[in-house]
Amino acid sequence: MFSHILFPTDGSELSDKVAPRVMELARVHGGRVTAISVVQPFPFMTLSGDSGIVAPDAEVFEGQMERAARDNVNKVAAAASAAGVPFEGVVALSPSPYQEIVAAAEKHGCDAIVMASHGRKGLNKLFLGSETQKVLAHTELPVLVLR
């Protein structure tokens, strides 16, 4: 049914919890998994000169975030190895994670996306947004949402 699953991971406890379920789904269907972790670029512009404002270094921030994203993908790789599921990991830099997820599914020839969702409600959902909801709105692939 699903021969190639894209599994976006943010390294959260919820993503870690659903990873074995994603692997089981792939294993049962004789499929493979591509995991993606998206790093968002440094959110602030640094100011130069004598402004008196000290801002963190964007390169340092993005380097730390990329290492964290690689760790996220490596955790999924370990779950895939334990389940005997073929695996590929991707780390991407994008200001828009949902767009990167949809593009990765297309680029890698995935036939389904399986995502963990925190299930935020109310103002948290309004202000924090939902990458899962955006993926659902911007792909024609089947999307399985796990909690």
Side-chain angles (χ1 to χ4, degrees), residues 31-47:
R32 59 193 171 115
V33 172
T34 295
I36 183 169
S37 188
V38 181
V39 176
Q40 291 182 284
F42 190 70
F44 304 103
M45 298 286 290
T46 56
L47 300 174

Side-chain angles (χ1 to χ4, degrees), residues 1-145:
M1 180 177 221
F2 300 123
S3 62
H4 193 175
I5 297 170
L6 182 71
F7 176 48
T9 179
D10 61 2
S12 67
E13 188 176 314
L14 184 58
S15 285
D16 293 347
K17 178 181 163 186
V18 303
R21 292 161 60 188
V22 173
M23 298 311 148
E24 182 62 14
L25 180 65
R27 191 188 63 72
V28 166
H29 291 283
R32 59 193 171 115
V33 172
T34 295
I36 183 169
S37 188
V38 181
V39 176
Q40 291 182 284
F42 190 70
F44 304 103
M45 298 286 290
T46 56
L47 300 174
S48 60
D50 295 325
S51 64
I53 297 174
V54 177
D57 186 312
E59 287 182 30
V60 170
F61 172 83
E62 288 174 3
Q64 291 171 342
M65 296 306 293
E66 184 175 343
R67 281 189 294 283
R70 290 218 178 281
D71 289 344
N72 299 341
V73 169
N74 289 338
K75 286 191 282 186
V76 179
S81 178
V85 171
F87 176 81
E88 179 181 359
V90 176
V91 172
L93 176 68
S94 175
S96 180
Y98 84 88
Q99 288 178 327
E100 197 65 38
I101 291 165
V102 171
E106 183 177 317
K107 176 182 176 184
H108 294 277
C110 299
D111 54 12
I113 301 171
V114 179
M115 299 181 72
S117 177
H118 297 278
R120 292 186 178 102
K121 296 189 181 349
L123 291 177
N124 277 339
K125 183 175 181 180
L126 177 66
F127 291 121
L128 296 176
S130 167
E131 294 305 315
T132 303
Q133 191 170 11
K134 292 173 190 170
V135 168
L136 283 165
H138 291 91
T139 187
E140 294 181 11
L141 291 176
V143 179
L144 177 60
V145 180

